[in-house]
Amino acid sequence: MSRLGRKPVAVPEKVKVSVDGQTVNVEGPLGKLSYTANPEITVEVGEDGKDVTVTRKSDTRTAKAMHGLTRALISNMVLGVDQGYEKRLEVVGVGYLAAIAGDVLQLRVGFANEVHKKIPTDLDVKCPDQTHIVVKGIDKQRVGQFAAEVRAVRKPEPYKGKGVRYQGERVKLKPGKAAGK
């Protein structure tokens, strides 16, 4: 049995959770999120509204898989509308830079042309300086996905470490051909 799935999700005072059939709606100071649970999963809000419990109707493989997942997604939604999520990226390399023009993130990362990434409307993307990018939002998946797409434009290469990386990410550098002798 899923130990994580059985654990109730604590709901802070500022956050309101409601369940309408299989749809879970979470509303907080930063915004609203909703999720439609699998039909084999039951989501219930406690009488005082302070916790949310997730149970499954059967012990099938799918139900077991969805039990812990549903609980984790609801927990992420509650945390997102209360505090939000943030990913920080660094642009490393001579002449490499990032800037924001309107709703487009411009990246100059060693290609002949600038790379333009459209910023989703539900995310807040800022460039405090030319070598850092901060992605903020209430949906953990959307924040992580956009940060991963920006990093994928130019992943850190293994010889000099140039490229876009997460802040604090360690890039293991390979020795060059001169070190092989």
Side-chain angles (χ1 to χ4, degrees), residues 60-78:
T60 62
R61 188 178 178 107
T62 307
K64 286 180 178 181
M66 297 304 288
H67 189 195
L69 172 73
T70 304
R71 189 251 177 228
L73 290 173
I74 293 170
S75 176
N76 289 342
M77 288 166 52
V78 168

Side-chain angles (χ1 to χ4, degrees), residues 98-138:
I100 293 176
D103 64 342
V104 175
L105 175 65
Q106 300 171 335
L107 296 166
R108 235 181 270 160
V109 286
F111 296 121
N113 299 318
E114 273 188 5
V115 178
H116 296 270
K117 295 284 298 170
K118 179 122 171 66
I119 299 170
T121 55
D122 58 337
L123 296 181
D124 180 34
V125 180
K126 292 203 171 20
C127 288
D129 55 55
Q130 292 184 338
T131 60
H132 290 86
I133 304 166
V134 179
V135 182
K136 291 183 182 179
I138 60 172

Side-chain angles (χ1 to χ4, degrees), residues 17-26 33-37 43 77:
V17 179
S18 62
V19 179
D20 182 34
Q22 290 300 105
T23 305
V24 181
N25 298 308
V26 181
L33 289 172
S34 66
Y35 170 71
T36 304
V43 181
M77 288 166 52

Side-chain angles (χ1 to χ4, degrees), residues 28-181:
L30 298 180
K32 295 180 190 176
L33 289 172
S34 66
Y35 170 71
T36 304
N38 190 297
E40 296 187 42
I41 302 296
T42 306
V43 181
E44 296 168 342
V45 180
E47 291 125 31
D48 55 353
K50 298 276 187 212
D51 64 339
V52 178
T53 53
V54 179
T55 55
R56 61 179 185 245
K57 296 175 184 172
S58 65
D59 279 342
T60 62
R61 188 178 178 107
T62 307
K64 286 180 178 181
M66 297 304 288
H67 189 195
L69 172 73
T70 304
R71 189 251 177 228
L73 290 173
I74 293 170
S75 176
N76 289 342
M77 288 166 52
V78 168
L79 192 65
V81 297
D82 188 31
Q83 299 169 0
Y85 290 99
E86 174 182 283
K87 287 271 189 186
R88 293 176 171 270
L89 298 149
E90 296 175 325
V91 182
V92 178
V94 177
Y96 285 23
L97 59 93
I100 293 176
D103 64 342
V104 175
L105 175 65
Q106 300 171 335
L107 296 166
R108 235 181 270 160
V109 286
F111 296 121
N113 299 318
E114 273 188 5
V115 178
H116 296 270
K117 295 284 298 170
K118 179 122 171 66
I119 299 170
T121 55
D122 58 337
L123 296 181
D124 180 34
V125 180
K126 292 203 171 20
C127 288
D129 55 55
Q130 292 184 338
T131 60
H132 290 86
I133 304 166
V134 179
V135 182
K136 291 183 182 179
I138 60 172
D139 190 344
K140 186 176 186 177
Q141 194 273 333
R142 301 270 294 148
V143 170
Q145 181 68 36
F146 186 74
E149 287 173 5
V150 170
R151 182 181 180 273
V153 169
R154 182 70 139 205
K155 290 182 184 172
E157 54 94 20
Y159 294 99
K160 291 184 179 177
K162 298 190 311 185
V164 181
R165 63 175 83 165
Y166 296 113
Q167 191 165 358
E169 178 182 359
R170 294 192 173 234
V171 178
K172 188 173 180 186
L173 297 179
K174 292 181 179 180
K177 64 181 181 179
K181 290 183 180 179

